[in-house]
Amino acid sequence: MAVTSSHGSTRTWWQQNQQTLTPWLFLIPGMFMFAVYVVWPILSSFWISFYDWNGLRAPDGSSTAEWVGLGNYAELIGDDAFETSLKNNILWLVLYMLAVPFGLFIAIFLNQTVWGIRMYKSLFFFPFVISQVVVGLIFSWFYAPNFGLLYLLTEWLTGTGTAILADPNKVTYGIIAAGLWPQTAYCMILYLTGLNNVSPDQVEAARLDGAKGFKMLWYVILPQLRPATFIAVVVTVIGALRSFDLVSIMTTGGPFGSSRVLSFYMYEQALSEYGFRMGYGAAIAVVLFLIMMVFISGFIWKMVRDEKEGY
Amino acid sequence: MVHMKAGTLAVVASLLASGSAFAEQRVLTYYADYDPNPLAAMEALIADFEAANPDIDVQLNNFDHEGYKTAIRNFLTTDAPDLANWYAGNRMAPFVEAGQFMDVSDVWEANGLGESLASAKASMTIDGKQWGVPYTYYQWGIYFNKDVYAQVGAEVPTTWDQFIANCEKFKAAGIDCLTTGTSALWPGAGIFDYMSLRTNGYEFHMDLTAGKIAWTDQKVRDVFAQWAKLVEPGYITANHAAIDWQDAAALLVQGKAANYVMGNFAVATFKEGGMTNDNLGFMPFPEITPGIPRAEDAPTDTIHIPSGAQNVEDAKLFLAYVASADAQTKLNAALGQLPTNKDSTVAADDPFISAGFELLSTSYALAQFFDRDAPAEMAKIGMEGFQQFMVQPGELENILTRLEEARQRIYQ
C-alpha cells in the first residue's frame, strides 16, 4: 500500500483524474452549443413571456418592455384564436397519426420482389424528398377555387365546386391531408427498413403453425417492427406539433384564423407584419413547449426503460 | 439581405461626378425597400440631388421589401442610417413613441410644406409634430370591366342604390358584381374603409380606427348593414377567402366579375392580363349617405430621419428636396403613382393617374388604409373580422363583440 501511495503522489493531478475528466472534456463543445442554442433561448422565451414588449428598443439601447407577470397567460385563456389553434393542434396530432398505418400498409405492399420494385419504392418515397413548401404549393393549387383539380372535380360531380381552403370547417382537414402525403412516405421508409430485419425463421415457424393473413401480421410481424413503430410515432407526433410550413404556405392561418395552429399563431403574434407582441408570442411558445415536453418526456422515459430491459 | 449594389453605384456615380472634391464629401446613408422599378426612380432622384449638392454623397442601401419590415426594428437601434423609408399614419406610431424617429417639423415649416403637402399633413402628424416627409401615394377606388357593363346594359353608378341595382343584373348574367381575393386579408379592409367612409364620413372612420368608438356602436352596425346588401345576396365572389388578389384580378379581366375595390397598383396587373384603357374603367366608390364630404383611401409612403442619424443637417436638406414639387413630379412619373405635393403635375396620357390626381386633390380628407390607420394588432383582428363577415354574415354579432373586446384591450 505504501508503495502505491508514494507512487500515486508522483502522478500529476491530470493523471489521477484523467478517467473521470475525459468524457466531460469531449462533452464540453456539445454542451456549450446545447446551452447557447437550446437551453438559453428556452429560458429567455419563458422570461419574455412575462413582459409586454413590441420588440423595440429606445435610442439609448434600453428595452421598452413592460413587466406584466402572468398577464399574457391570463389573456391566452380568454383568447378565441388561441383556443382554435389548440383545437387544431389536437386535430393535427390525432389525424396525423394516420400516417403510421398508411405507411405500414404501403410498406407491406411494396415489400416483395417484383421486377423494378426499387423504382416503385423510390416513387412512393418521392413526396418526402420534396420540400414542405412545395407540397403546400402543389396542394393549394389542387384545392384552388375556379381552376384547382379538386374544385373542378367536385363541380363536375355535384354541380358546385368545393373550395376546401375557403371553408372554415374543412380547411384544417385539407391541410392535414396535404401533410399526410409526405409523412406517409416517411413512415413507409421506416417500415421498409424494419421489414428487412423481420426474421424469416419466425415467419416460417408461424406459417407451419397455421398463422396467416391478419393474425400473422398482428402477432408475428408487428411485434418485430416495434422499434420502427416507435420511431414512426415519435417523428409523426413531433411533425404534427411542428406543422408550420404547410399552414403558412397554404392559408397563412385563414380563412379568418380557422386553420391556425400554435406554432403559426406564435409566429403571427411575435414576428409577422401585424404582430411584434413578443411577450404574447413567447407565452404561446411556452405553452407549445410544455405540450411537446409531455410527449418528449414520455418518449425518453420509454427509451430509458427499454434500455434497462435490454431491448 | 442588404443589397450593396445600389450604394456602390451611388459611390461610383459620385466619384465620376465630383472627381477631386470627393475627399470633402459628406456621406448621407439611406436605407430603403424599393422594388426594382421604384429603385431606378429613386436613384434618378438621388442623382439629381447630388448634382444640386455636389458636396453630399447619398449612399442608398436597398433591402428586400418584406425583410425591411423586420430589419428596420433592429437597425434603428444598432446601426441607424441618416434616412429611412417607412409609412404614414399609425404605422409610424411605435417608432415615434419609442423615440426612434426625429421630429422634422422645422423642415415642414421652413419649406412651407404644410401648404404644399396639405393633403398628407394629418397622416404625418403625431402630437402636433411632423415625423417625416411623404413622397408618393396612390388612390383607391373601383376598377371595372366596361365590356361587362355593356353586356348587361348597366350604367356606371354614382350612388350605392344604383350600384346594388347593377349587381342584380350582373347576378342574373352569372357575373360576380364585386370581386376580391382576401387570402392575404388586406383587400377586404379596402372594402370596409369605403363602406365606413361613405356611410359615416371621415371623422367617424378615423375615430373608429383610433379606438375612440365601440365596434358595437349603432353607426358601425349601419356600415355592416350597407355591406350586407352585397354579401347576403351573394354579389361578392364566392371563395374569396382562398383567392389571392391577383387571381381575383384575373376574374375581372376574364369578364367573370364586374367591379373590384382596389388600389391603383392593380392597373398594371389588369393590363398584363390584356385589358386596355378602352375596356378598363375607374370610378370613385359611390355615395352611400348623401351629403357626406367625400374622403378617400390614399396610402402614403414616407421618408424619416432616425434619432440615431449622424448627418442630420444634410438629411433635412434631402427631405426638403424630396418634398419639392419638381422632384415629386419626376419621381412619381417614374413610379407610376401620385405626387403628394399639390404643385406637382402628372402625366395626362394615363387616365388612371390623372383620374386619381383629380380624385385625391379634390377630396375632403385622406385615410391611409385600415392597416395603417389602426394599430397593427387591431388591424389584424379587424381584417379577419371583415373576411369572416363576407363569408358568414350571420356571425356579425360575434365578430363585433370580438372586435370590441380587442379594442378595449389594445387601446387601453
Side-chain angles (χ1 to χ4, degrees):
Chain A
M1 287 305 278
V3 174
T4 25
S5 73
S6 74
H7 180 69
S9 65
T10 62
R11 287 165 73 197
T12 59
W13 181 83
W14 166 243
Q15 282 166 334
Q16 278 175 21
N17 297 293
Q18 200 173 11
Q19 290 283 328
T20 37
L21 284 178
T22 309
W24 289 107
L25 282 178
F26 278 113
L27 278 173
I28 281 178
M31 283 170 61
F32 175 76
M33 295 299 234
F34 190 74
V36 170
Y37 292 106
V38 179
V39 178
W40 186 61
I42 289 174
L43 292 179
S44 92
S45 290
F46 272 91
W47 187 239
I48 293 174
S49 76
F50 298 125
Y51 284 95
D52 181 15
W53 186 37
N54 65 2
L56 282 181
R57 285 173 185 283
D60 59 6
S62 64
S63 169
T64 56
E66 190 186 324
W67 175 268
V68 291
L70 291 175
N72 286 323
Y73 294 94
E75 194 186 327
L76 276 181
I77 293 170
D79 184 350
D80 288 345
F82 177 71
E83 196 182 312
T84 312
S85 318
L86 203 59
K87 269 187 200 155
N88 282 339
N89 254 123
I90 293 167
L91 210 57
W92 267 88
L93 268 176
V94 173
L95 291 180
Y96 219 43
M97 278 301 148
L98 288 174
V100 178
F102 286 173
L104 175 66
F105 176 78
I106 297 175
I108 290 172
F109 176 67
L110 288 178
N111 191 39
Q112 45 186 316
T113 39
V114 193
W115 185 83
I117 191 70
R118 280 177 184 226
M119 195 187 70
Y120 301 134
K121 282 181 186 172
S122 22
L123 284 178
F124 272 93
F125 188 57
F126 177 68
F128 184 70
V129 180
I130 53 181
S131 133
Q132 291 262 309
V133 176
V134 177
V135 172
L137 274 179
I138 294 173
F139 269 83
S140 41
W141 289 329
F142 177 61
Y143 293 143
N146 304 323
F147 62 85
L149 189 59
L150 186 79
Y151 183 88
L152 295 175
L153 210 65
T154 48
E155 194 172 36
W156 180 66
L157 283 173
T158 63
T160 47
T162 311
I164 302 250
L165 298 184
D167 185 333
N169 301 317
K170 299 196 187 105
V171 60
T172 300
Y173 298 99
I175 304 175
I176 296 175
L180 278 177
W181 189 46
Q183 192 64 24
T184 301
Y186 193 13
C187 292
M188 177 205 78
I189 210 78
L190 291 172
Y191 276 121
L192 272 178
T193 49
L195 281 170
N196 278 338
N197 297 328
V198 167
S199 139
D201 306 355
Q202 289 188 25
V203 177
E204 190 75 1
R207 201 163 274 156
L208 285 176
D209 287 342
K212 55 184 167 188
F214 183 74
K215 281 198 163 166
M216 171 79 106
L217 174 70
W218 190 255
Y219 292 106
V220 181
I221 309 286
L222 270 187
Q224 297 189 59
L225 287 176
R226 260 184 66 175
T229 308
F230 178 66
I231 297 293
V233 169
V234 171
V235 296
T236 308
V237 165
I238 292 175
L241 288 172
R242 283 176 33 183
S243 47
F244 174 88
D245 329 34
L246 289 174
V247 176
S248 169
I249 289 294
M250 295 175 71
T251 62
T252 57
F256 41 90
S258 20
S259 66
R260 277 193 188 110
V261 289
L262 286 178
S263 55
F264 188 75
Y265 192 40
M266 166 190 80
Y267 162 80
E268 253 187 329
Q269 288 293 329
L271 300 165
S272 76
E273 187 174 353
Y274 299 113
F276 293 110
R277 296 184 71 197
M278 295 298 176
Y280 199 59
I284 301 167
V286 167
V287 172
L288 183 60
F289 174 74
L290 293 179
I291 295 174
M292 281 204 178
M293 273 319 277
V294 172
F295 290 97
I296 292 173
S297 356
F299 294 143
I300 293 177
W301 176 76
K302 185 191 162 3
M303 280 203 290
V304 168
R305 196 194 58 182
D306 286 358
E307 206 137 281
K308 278 187 185 151
E309 288 177 7
Y311 273 105
Chain B
M1 200 190 297
V2 185
H3 302 305
M4 296 296 292
K5 209 169 70 191
T8 332
L9 268 179
V11 172
V12 172
S14 57
L15 259 177
L16 289 175
S18 54
S20 62
F22 182 69
E24 289 154 36
Q25 273 193 329
R26 301 190 299 276
V27 172
L28 194 60
T29 50
Y30 177 16
Y31 289 1
D33 58 337
Y34 296 110
D35 292 331
N37 227 2
L39 177 63
M42 184 46 83
E43 276 171 350
L45 182 143
I46 288 173
D48 289 348
F49 175 76
E50 286 175 337
N53 301 278
D55 51 344
I56 301 177
D57 170 28
V58 181
Q59 295 186 352
L60 177 68
N61 264 2
N62 200 42
F63 288 61
D64 157 69
H65 188 65
E66 290 303 317
Y68 186 80
K69 292 171 184 165
T70 315
I72 190 172
R73 309 179 72 89
N74 298 325
F75 70 59
L76 283 181
T77 315
T78 54
D79 166 34
D82 299 317
L83 295 161
N85 272 14
W86 197 239
Y87 309 99
N90 223 315
R91 264 300 177 90
M92 67 176 182
F95 296 114
V96 172
E97 280 155 18
Q100 297 280 20
F101 282 161
M102 197 173 278
D103 172 14
V104 294
S105 306
D106 53 337
V107 179
W108 281 69
E109 198 134 326
N111 297 282
L113 300 185
E115 187 72 13
S116 54
L117 303 179
S119 60
K121 185 175 179 184
S123 55
M124 296 308 301
T125 306
I126 293 178
D127 296 335
K129 297 169 189 153
Q130 286 76 48
W131 302 93
V133 158
Y135 62 92
T136 187
Y137 59 17
Y138 55 88
Q139 84 273 19
W140 273 66
I142 295 182
Y143 293 84
F144 63 95
N145 187 326
K146 289 182 184 168
D147 295 342
V148 178
Y149 266 74
Q151 183 194 325
V152 302
E155 292 289 316
V156 175
T158 54
T159 68
W160 187 237
D161 291 338
Q162 291 170 358
F163 188 85
I164 300 287
N166 280 346
C167 282
E168 231 166 284
K169 292 184 190 166
F170 289 124
K171 177 88 177 171
I175 296 165
D176 295 334
C177 178
L178 183 71
T179 192
T180 190
T182 58
S183 87
L185 294 178
W186 57 264
I191 306 179
F192 172 79
D193 276 356
Y194 274 107
M195 298 304 307
S196 172
L197 287 169
R198 292 289 184 271
T199 309
N200 294 322
Y202 177 78
E203 278 79 13
F204 185 88
H205 182 69
M206 293 322 272
D207 284 349
L208 182 66
T209 52
K212 292 178 193 155
I213 290 168
W215 282 87
T216 45
D217 192 285
Q218 182 54 40
K219 291 183 103 176
V220 179
R221 289 176 200 277
D222 294 345
V223 174
F224 284 93
Q226 294 294 345
W227 200 349
K229 291 181 185 171
L230 283 180
V231 177
E232 273 162 3
Y235 292 154
I236 299 177
T237 300
N239 302 319
H240 59 81
I243 301 179
D244 287 329
W245 77 264
Q246 291 95 335
D247 291 335
L251 295 177
L252 188 97
V253 172
Q254 292 159 9
K256 292 178 183 165
N259 302 295
Y260 198 171
V261 176
M262 253 297 142
N264 196 55
F265 54 86
V267 168
T269 310
F270 294 132
K271 288 188 171 171
E272 271 165 30
M275 294 188 94
T276 61
N277 291 347
D278 296 329
N279 56 8
L280 178 65
F282 172 76
M283 60 169 148
F285 199 93
E287 182 180 78
I288 297 180
T289 308
I292 283 185
R294 182 175 54 79
E296 303 288 337
D297 257 350
T300 309
D301 292 350
T302 55
I303 305 178
H304 304 263
I305 306 181
S307 307
Q310 302 294 314
N311 189 354
V312 177
E313 209 163 302
D314 290 338
K316 286 184 172 171
L317 207 60
F318 187 81
L319 287 193
Y321 183 79
V322 170
S324 67
D326 290 344
Q328 292 218 346
T329 301
K330 193 176 168 190
L331 177 67
N332 282 285
L335 288 175
Q337 297 196 135
L338 299 171
T340 51
N341 191 313
K342 70 176 173 52
D343 303 323
S344 299
T345 51
V346 294
D349 56 345
D350 184 331
F352 303 102
I353 290 290
S354 29
F357 194 62
E358 169 70 20
L359 184 77
L360 296 189
S361 47
T362 57
S363 88
Y364 166 69
L366 298 179
Q368 283 303 304
F369 195 71
F370 188 73
D371 72 352
R372 297 186 190 180
D373 288 325
E377 212 190 326
M378 189 69 227
K380 173 86 182 177
I381 296 173
M383 292 192 300
E384 275 178 16
F386 307 150
Q387 187 190 43
Q388 184 174 7
F389 175 71
M390 286 193 282
V391 179
Q392 305 171 325
E395 291 289 306
L396 178 62
E397 208 49 47
N398 286 337
I399 297 171
L400 291 181
T401 315
R402 195 169 71 222
L403 292 191
E404 176 55 19
E405 281 168 4
R407 180 186 76 92
Q408 290 178 3
R409 179 170 51 77
I410 294 166
Y411 296 92
Q412 55 182 294

